[in-house]
Amino acid sequence: MKLVIVESPTKAKTISKFLGGKYTVKSSYGHIRDLPKKEMGIDIENDFEPKYIIPTTAEKRVAELKKLAQKAETVILATDEDREGEAISWHLVSALGLALAKTERIVFHEITKKAIEKALENPRKIDLKLVDAQQARRVLDRLVGYELSPFLWKKIRRGLSAGRVQSVALRLIVEREREIQNFKPEEYWAVSALLKNSASNAQEFEARLSKENEKSLGKMGIKNKGQAEKIVKFLEKADYRILGVAKKEIQKTPSPAYTTSTLQQDANNKLGFSSKQTMVIAQQLYEGIDIGSGGPIGLITYMRTDSVNLSMESMLAARKAIKKKFGSKYALDNPRFYKTKSKGAQEAHEAIRPTYPEKDPESLKDNLELNQYKLYKLIWQRMLASQMSTAILNSVMIDVEARQKGLKNFYTLRANGSSIKFDGYLKIYGDKIPVTENILPELKENEILELLKILSAQKFTQPPARYSEAALVKVLEEFGIGRPSTYAPTISTVIERKYVAKDENKKLFPEEIGFLVSDLLVEHFSEIVNYKFTAKMEGDLDEIAEGRKKWVPVIRDFYRPFHKNLKEKTKEVKKEDFVEKIGRNCPDCGGYLVMKFGRFGKFIACSNYPECRYTEKTEAEKKVDEENKGELCETCGAPMVVKRGKFGVFLGCSNYPECKSIKRIEKKVGVKCPKCQPTADHPQGDIVEKKSKRGRIFYGCSTYPKCDFALWSKPTGEKCPKCGSLLVFAAQGKTKCSNKECEAANDKK
C-alpha cells in the first residue's frame, strides 16, 4: 500500500477518485506543526532556531498518520505546490518520523486524473530552499509580532498587534484617508453643444468644448461661472461646421488569464466578493466539486499564483471549446502568450484557469452553489477570452468649429464615438460587453450643423477614492508587498483587529485606533512600514527560495537593528505622548483627565491610574445613553441600559443576570419609511442602518418584520422628481433614484 498525504479532506476525496486500490489517500487537515501560541518559540541566540510543536488538536491525527506511514511501502506527500505546501510536507516528515531521502514529494497544478498520474510518474524530493523561504517568513513575522505588539500594549492599550505586511497595508489606508480629509475641491465647468445636421436629417450628437482658438482648454480650462457664461453666450450665437472627421480601426486584445491578484480584484469589483471570500470559494473549486460524474472533480487550477502562463494543452483545449461554442472565426490559429508584469512572479507556475475548458458555466450551474457558479464563470470567461480573436472597434473623432462672423475668436468642440466592427473575444461576455458603444452620425468635413442646445454644468474635482479591497490588492502588488497567499489574510487581519472598517460602499477606511497605531509605527519604526523595505524583504525571501541566499543571515540583518531600535523606543516613547488631554481635572484626585482606548472603544479616565480609578463616559456615549433612555425590557419590564461589547453598543436589561434580555441599538438616518403608514397598532417606521449576515451594511425599516422595506444605499431624505421614490447616495458624493425601474436610477446627479 502507498500512502498519499494531502492537506484537505476534500482534496483527499477528489484524488482518491483517480487512484486505484494500491493507494490510500489521507488528509493532514492543514498544518500539523507550528510555533507555540503562548511564547515566541524562536531561539534568537541559536541562529533563530524555531521551536515547533504539534498542537493538541493535531495529536490524534498525527498518531493515525504515523501508524499508516509505518505500514506503507511508500509515503507520497502531495501538499500544495507553493512554499507553504512545501513546508507542510517538511513538517509531516518530521512529525511522522519519515526518512527524508525515502519520502516522495509530488506537485500538480490541477486536480485531474491526468495531472495526478503525471505527478506520480515524476516524484521529487522536498525542496528545502522553498521550506527555508517559508520558514524565514514565519520567523520574521513572529519576531515582529511578538516584539512589536507588546510595545503597542504598553504605549496605547493591550490587545493591539503589529505585523510586517499588515502594518504597511494599514499605512496605505491611513495615508489615503488623510489625502481625502485634506483634499480641497476645485471648481470647473463642463460646456458642450447638442448638434445636428438638419440637411441630411442625421441623428443629433453631443460635442464637448476642447479648444479656445488653437489652445487646448483641458478638463480644468473653464474655472468659474463667469467664464462659462461668457463662452455659452458666444456659442449660442455661433455658426457650426465640421472641421474634420478622423476614423480609425482599433484592435482590442483580451487580458491574460487570472493571477491571484487579478482574480481578487475582479471578484471584488464585479461580484462584490471580499478577498477572503474569493479565496475560500476558489479553494472549493480547486479541491473538487461533485458535479454528478461519480465523485468530486477539480474545476480550476491552483488559485495561489502570480503567473499568467497557460499550458499548451489547456490553450489547445480552449481553442476547441471556442470553435464549438462560437465558431471558427472566434478561435486563434496559434495560441496567444502573455508576459507577466508582477514583480518576482514565479514563471514556472500557471495562471488560474478551468481544468476542463469545455465545461462551460451553464452546464455546471445546477451542481454549484450560486457563488461558486459566479466565480467559476468569471475564471472560465477570462481564460477562454484570452485565447479568442482580437475585437475590432471603429473609432470616430469629429472636430466642430464654432465661429461668429466678423470675429477672430473661435472655439473647437470634439465628439468621440466608437462602434464594434467585430466583437471577437467580447462575444464570450454576452450582454456584459466591457466596451461602451457611442455611435456618431455619418458626417463629412465642412458640413454645416444646427445648434439644438448648449449644455453647461458646474463641477468640482473629487478627492481620491477610498481603497476597495480590489484597489488595495492592486497597490500592494504594484509595490511588491506580499505574495499571492498573503493578500486576503492581510486585509482580513486589519479588519478583524478593528484598525480598519468598511463604509456603506464597501470601501476601506481607518478607525481612530488605526490612525494612532499607524502614526506611531511611521514615526518610530519607519523601516517596518516602509514600502521599499517591505518589498525588498519579499525579494530576499524569493532569493532564499531560489537558493541564492541563506535564511539565517537575512533574518539576522533584519533583527539586529530592529531589536536595537525597539529597546531605545521602549525607553524613549512615553505613553503620555499618545493620550489626549481633555482639559479637565479628575474630581476624585485632581489629576488631569485623558481620553483612553479600551477593549470596546474610547472612555475618559484619570491620568493617575492605577492609583486613581476614576472613569466616565465620553460625550458620544452619553448621547447614546440619552437617546435610548426610557426603553423597557420586553421580557421583564425593567429599564434597559446601554452596554458595550466587542460587537459595539447594545441595550441590556438592568436586571442582569436574573434577566439576560438584550436588544440591538438601531442607528437612525433621519428618514421615515416610505412604505409603511402609521396606524393605531403600527407606528410609521424609521429607516435604520443594519448589517446583513455577510456583514454588508444596508438600510431598512425599524418595524421589520412588519415592514420589509430595505435599500442597499443610504437614503438622502429627498424624493425622486420623476417617480417619487427615495433618492440614495451614490459614488463620489452623487445621488440617484433607489427605484431601479426609474430612468433616473442610472442618471447620477
Coordinates of all heavy atoms in Angstrom, one line a residue, residues 285-333:
L285 N -13.4 25.2 -5.5 CA -13.4 24.8 -6.9 C -12.2 24.1 -7.3 O -12.2 23.1 -8.1 CB -13.5 26.1 -7.8 CG -14.8 26.9 -7.7 CD1 -14.7 28.2 -8.4 CD2 -16.0 26.1 -8.2
Y286 N -11.1 24.4 -6.6 CA -9.8 23.7 -6.9 C -9.8 22.3 -6.4 O -9.4 21.3 -7.0 CB -8.6 24.5 -6.3 CG -7.3 23.8 -6.2 CD1 -6.6 23.4 -7.4 CD2 -6.8 23.4 -5.0 CE1 -5.4 22.7 -7.3 CE2 -5.6 22.7 -4.9 CZ -4.9 22.4 -6.0 OH -3.7 21.7 -5.9
E287 N -10.2 22.2 -5.1 CA -10.1 20.9 -4.4 C -11.1 19.8 -4.9 O -10.9 18.6 -4.8 CB -10.3 21.1 -2.9 CG -9.1 21.8 -2.3 CD -9.1 21.9 -0.8 OE1 -10.2 21.6 -0.3 OE2 -8.1 22.2 -0.2
G288 N -12.3 20.3 -5.5 CA -13.2 19.3 -6.0 C -14.6 19.6 -5.7 O -15.0 19.8 -4.5
I289 N -15.5 19.5 -6.7 CA -16.9 19.7 -6.5 C -17.6 18.4 -7.2 O -17.2 18.0 -8.3 CB -17.5 20.9 -7.2 CG1 -16.7 22.2 -6.7 CG2 -19.0 21.0 -7.1 CD1 -17.1 22.6 -5.3
D290 N -18.6 17.9 -6.5 CA -19.3 16.7 -7.1 C -20.3 17.3 -8.1 O -21.3 18.0 -7.8 CB -20.0 16.0 -6.0 CG -20.6 14.6 -6.5 OD1 -20.7 14.5 -7.8 OD2 -20.9 13.8 -5.7
I291 N -20.0 17.0 -9.4 CA -20.9 17.5 -10.5 C -21.8 16.4 -11.1 O -22.2 16.5 -12.2 CB -20.2 18.3 -11.6 CG1 -19.1 17.4 -12.2 CG2 -19.5 19.5 -11.0 CD1 -18.5 18.0 -13.4
G292 N -21.9 15.3 -10.3 CA -22.8 14.2 -10.7 C -22.1 13.3 -11.7 O -22.7 12.6 -12.5
S293 N -20.7 13.2 -11.6 CA -20.0 12.3 -12.5 C -19.2 11.3 -11.7 O -18.1 10.9 -12.1 CB -19.1 13.2 -13.4 OG -18.2 13.9 -12.6
G294 N -19.8 10.8 -10.6 CA -19.1 9.8 -9.9 C -18.1 10.3 -8.9 O -17.1 9.6 -8.7
G295 N -18.4 11.4 -8.2 CA -17.4 11.9 -7.2 C -16.9 13.3 -7.6 O -17.2 13.8 -8.7
P296 N -16.3 13.9 -6.7 CA -15.8 15.3 -6.9 C -14.7 15.4 -7.9 O -13.8 14.5 -8.0 CB -15.3 15.8 -5.5 CG -14.9 14.5 -4.8 CD -15.9 13.5 -5.3
I297 N -14.7 16.5 -8.7 CA -13.5 16.8 -9.6 C -13.1 18.2 -9.4 O -13.9 19.1 -9.1 CB -13.9 16.6 -11.1 CG1 -15.0 17.5 -11.6 CG2 -14.3 15.1 -11.3 CD1 -15.2 17.5 -13.1
G298 N -11.8 18.5 -9.6 CA -11.3 19.8 -9.5 C -11.7 20.6 -10.7 O -11.4 20.2 -11.9
L299 N -12.3 21.8 -10.5 CA -12.8 22.6 -11.7 C -11.9 23.7 -12.1 O -12.0 24.2 -13.2 CB -14.2 23.1 -11.3 CG -15.3 22.1 -11.2 CD1 -16.6 22.8 -10.8 CD2 -15.5 21.4 -12.5
I300 N -11.0 24.1 -11.2 CA -10.0 25.1 -11.6 C -8.6 24.7 -11.2 O -8.5 23.8 -10.3 CB -10.3 26.5 -11.0 CG1 -10.2 26.5 -9.5 CG2 -11.7 27.0 -11.5 CD1 -10.2 27.9 -8.9
T301 N -7.6 25.3 -11.7 CA -6.2 25.1 -11.3 C -5.9 25.8 -10.0 O -6.7 26.5 -9.5 CB -5.2 25.5 -12.4 OG1 -5.5 26.9 -12.7 CG2 -5.4 24.7 -13.7
Y302 N -4.7 25.6 -9.5 CA -4.3 26.1 -8.2 C -4.5 27.7 -8.2 O -4.1 28.3 -9.1 CB -2.8 25.8 -7.9 CG -2.5 26.0 -6.5 CD1 -3.2 25.5 -5.4 CD2 -1.3 26.8 -6.2 CE1 -2.8 25.8 -4.1 CE2 -1.0 27.1 -4.9 CZ -1.7 26.5 -3.8 OH -1.4 26.8 -2.5
M303 N -5.1 28.2 -7.1 CA -5.5 29.5 -7.1 C -4.5 30.5 -6.4 O -4.9 31.7 -6.3 CB -6.9 29.7 -6.5 CG -7.0 29.3 -5.0 SD -6.9 27.5 -4.8 CE -6.2 27.4 -3.2
R304 N -3.4 30.1 -6.0 CA -2.3 31.0 -5.5 C -1.2 31.0 -6.5 O -0.3 30.2 -6.4 CB -1.9 30.6 -4.1 CG -3.0 30.7 -3.1 CD -2.5 30.4 -1.6 NE -3.6 30.4 -0.7 CZ -4.4 29.4 -0.3 NH1 -4.1 28.2 -0.8 NH2 -5.4 29.5 0.5
T305 N -1.2 32.0 -7.3 CA -0.2 32.1 -8.4 C -0.1 33.6 -8.8 O -1.0 34.4 -8.7 CB -0.6 31.2 -9.6 OG1 0.3 31.4 -10.6 CG2 -2.0 31.6 -10.1
D306 N 1.1 33.9 -9.3 CA 1.4 35.2 -9.9 C 1.8 35.2 -11.3 O 2.3 36.1 -11.9 CB 2.4 36.1 -9.0 CG 3.6 35.3 -8.7 OD1 3.9 34.2 -9.3 OD2 4.3 35.6 -7.7
S307 N 1.6 34.0 -11.9 CA 2.0 33.8 -13.3 C 0.8 33.9 -14.2 O -0.3 33.6 -13.8 CB 2.6 32.4 -13.5 OG 2.9 32.2 -14.8
V308 N 1.0 34.4 -15.5 CA -0.1 34.4 -16.5 C 0.1 33.4 -17.5 O -0.6 33.3 -18.5 CB -0.2 35.8 -17.1 CG1 -0.6 36.9 -16.1 CG2 1.1 36.2 -17.8
N309 N 1.0 32.5 -17.3 CA 1.3 31.4 -18.3 C 0.1 30.4 -18.3 O -0.5 30.2 -17.3 CB 2.6 30.6 -17.9 CG 3.8 31.5 -18.1 OD1 3.8 32.5 -18.8 ND2 4.8 31.2 -17.4
L310 N -0.1 29.8 -19.5 CA -1.1 28.7 -19.6 C -0.3 27.5 -20.3 O 0.5 27.7 -21.2 CB -2.2 29.1 -20.5 CG -3.2 30.2 -19.9 CD1 -4.2 30.6 -21.0 CD2 -3.9 29.6 -18.7
S311 N -0.7 26.3 -19.9 CA -0.1 25.2 -20.6 C -0.6 25.1 -22.0 O -1.7 25.5 -22.4 CB -0.5 23.9 -19.8 OG -1.9 23.6 -19.9
M312 N 0.3 24.5 -22.9 CA -0.1 24.4 -24.3 C -1.4 23.5 -24.4 O -2.3 23.8 -25.2 CB 1.1 23.7 -25.0 CG 0.8 23.6 -26.5 SD 0.4 25.1 -27.4 CE 2.1 25.8 -27.4
E313 N -1.4 22.5 -23.6 CA -2.6 21.6 -23.6 C -3.9 22.3 -23.3 O -4.9 22.1 -24.0 CB -2.4 20.4 -22.6 CG -3.5 19.4 -22.6 CD -3.2 18.3 -21.6 OE1 -2.4 18.5 -20.7 OE2 -3.9 17.3 -21.7
S314 N -3.9 23.2 -22.3 CA -5.1 23.9 -22.0 C -5.5 24.9 -23.1 O -6.6 25.2 -23.3 CB -4.9 24.7 -20.6 OG -4.0 25.8 -20.8
M315 N -4.5 25.5 -23.7 CA -4.8 26.5 -24.8 C -5.4 25.8 -26.0 O -6.3 26.3 -26.6 CB -3.5 27.3 -25.2 CG -3.0 28.3 -24.1 SD -1.7 29.4 -24.6 CE -0.3 28.3 -24.6
L316 N -4.9 24.6 -26.3 CA -5.5 23.8 -27.4 C -6.9 23.4 -27.0 O -7.8 23.4 -27.9 CB -4.6 22.6 -27.7 CG -3.2 23.0 -28.2 CD1 -2.4 21.7 -28.4 CD2 -3.3 23.7 -29.6
A317 N -7.1 23.0 -25.8 CA -8.5 22.6 -25.3 C -9.4 23.8 -25.4 O -10.6 23.7 -25.8 CB -8.4 22.0 -23.9
A318 N -8.9 25.0 -25.1 CA -9.7 26.2 -25.1 C -10.1 26.5 -26.5 O -11.3 26.9 -26.8 CB -9.0 27.4 -24.5
R319 N -9.2 26.4 -27.5 CA -9.5 26.6 -28.9 C -10.6 25.7 -29.4 O -11.5 26.2 -30.1 CB -8.2 26.5 -29.7 CG -8.4 26.8 -31.2 CD -7.2 26.9 -32.0 NE -6.4 25.7 -32.1 CZ -5.3 25.5 -32.8 NH1 -4.7 26.6 -33.3 NH2 -4.7 24.4 -32.8
K320 N -10.5 24.5 -29.0 CA -11.5 23.5 -29.4 C -12.9 23.9 -28.9 O -13.9 23.9 -29.6 CB -11.1 22.1 -28.9 CG -12.0 21.0 -29.4 CD -11.5 19.6 -28.9 CE -12.4 18.5 -29.4 NZ -11.9 17.2 -28.9
A321 N -12.9 24.3 -27.6 CA -14.2 24.7 -27.0 C -14.7 26.0 -27.6 O -15.9 26.2 -27.8 CB -14.0 25.0 -25.5
I322 N -13.8 26.9 -28.0 CA -14.2 28.2 -28.6 C -14.9 27.9 -30.0 O -15.9 28.5 -30.3 CB -13.0 29.2 -28.7 CG1 -12.6 29.6 -27.3 CG2 -13.4 30.4 -29.6 CD1 -11.2 30.2 -27.3
K323 N -14.2 27.1 -30.8 CA -14.8 26.7 -32.1 C -16.1 26.1 -32.0 O -17.0 26.5 -32.8 CB -13.8 25.8 -32.8 CG -12.6 26.4 -33.4 CD -11.8 25.4 -34.2 CE -10.6 26.0 -34.9 NZ -9.8 25.0 -35.7
K324 N -16.3 25.2 -31.0 CA -17.6 24.5 -30.9 C -18.7 25.5 -30.4 O -19.8 25.4 -30.9 CB -17.4 23.4 -29.9 CG -18.7 22.6 -29.7 CD -18.4 21.4 -28.7 CE -19.7 20.6 -28.5 NZ -19.4 19.4 -27.6
K325 N -18.4 26.4 -29.5 CA -19.4 27.3 -28.9 C -19.7 28.5 -29.8 O -20.8 29.0 -29.9 CB -19.0 27.7 -27.5 CG -20.1 28.4 -26.7 CD -19.8 28.5 -25.3 CE -20.9 29.1 -24.5 NZ -22.1 28.3 -24.4
F326 N -18.6 29.1 -30.3 CA -18.8 30.4 -31.0 C -18.5 30.4 -32.5 O -18.8 31.3 -33.2 CB -17.9 31.4 -30.3 CG -18.1 31.6 -28.9 CD1 -17.2 31.2 -27.9 CD2 -19.3 32.2 -28.4 CE1 -17.4 31.4 -26.6 CE2 -19.5 32.3 -27.0 CZ -18.6 31.9 -26.1
G327 N -17.8 29.4 -33.0 CA -17.4 29.3 -34.4 C -16.0 29.6 -34.7 O -15.3 30.2 -33.8
S328 N -15.5 29.2 -35.8 CA -14.1 29.2 -36.1 C -13.5 30.6 -36.1 O -12.3 30.9 -35.8 CB -13.8 28.6 -37.5 OG -14.1 27.2 -37.4
K329 N -14.3 31.6 -36.5 CA -13.8 33.0 -36.6 C -13.4 33.6 -35.3 O -12.7 34.6 -35.2 CB -14.7 33.9 -37.4 CG -16.0 34.2 -36.7 CD -16.9 35.1 -37.5 CE -18.3 35.4 -36.8 NZ -19.1 36.3 -37.5
Y330 N -13.9 33.0 -34.2 CA -13.6 33.5 -32.9 C -12.4 32.8 -32.3 O -11.9 33.2 -31.2 CB -14.8 33.3 -31.9 CG -15.9 34.2 -32.3 CD1 -17.0 33.8 -33.1 CD2 -15.9 35.6 -31.8 CE1 -18.0 34.7 -33.4 CE2 -16.9 36.4 -32.1 CZ -18.0 36.0 -32.9 OH -19.0 36.9 -33.2
A331 N -11.8 31.7 -32.9 CA -10.7 31.0 -32.4 C -9.4 31.5 -33.1 O -9.4 31.9 -34.2 CB -10.9 29.5 -32.7
L332 N -8.3 31.4 -32.4 CA -7.0 31.8 -32.9 C -6.3 30.6 -33.7 O -6.5 29.5 -33.4 CB -6.0 32.2 -31.7 CG -6.5 33.3 -30.9 CD1 -5.5 33.4 -29.7 CD2 -6.5 34.6 -31.6
D333 N -5.6 31.0 -34.7 CA -4.8 30.0 -35.4 C -3.7 29.4 -34.6 O -3.4 28.3 -34.6 CB -4.3 30.6 -36.7 CG -5.4 30.9 -37.7 OD1 -6.4 30.3 -37.7 OD2 -5.2 31.9 -38.5

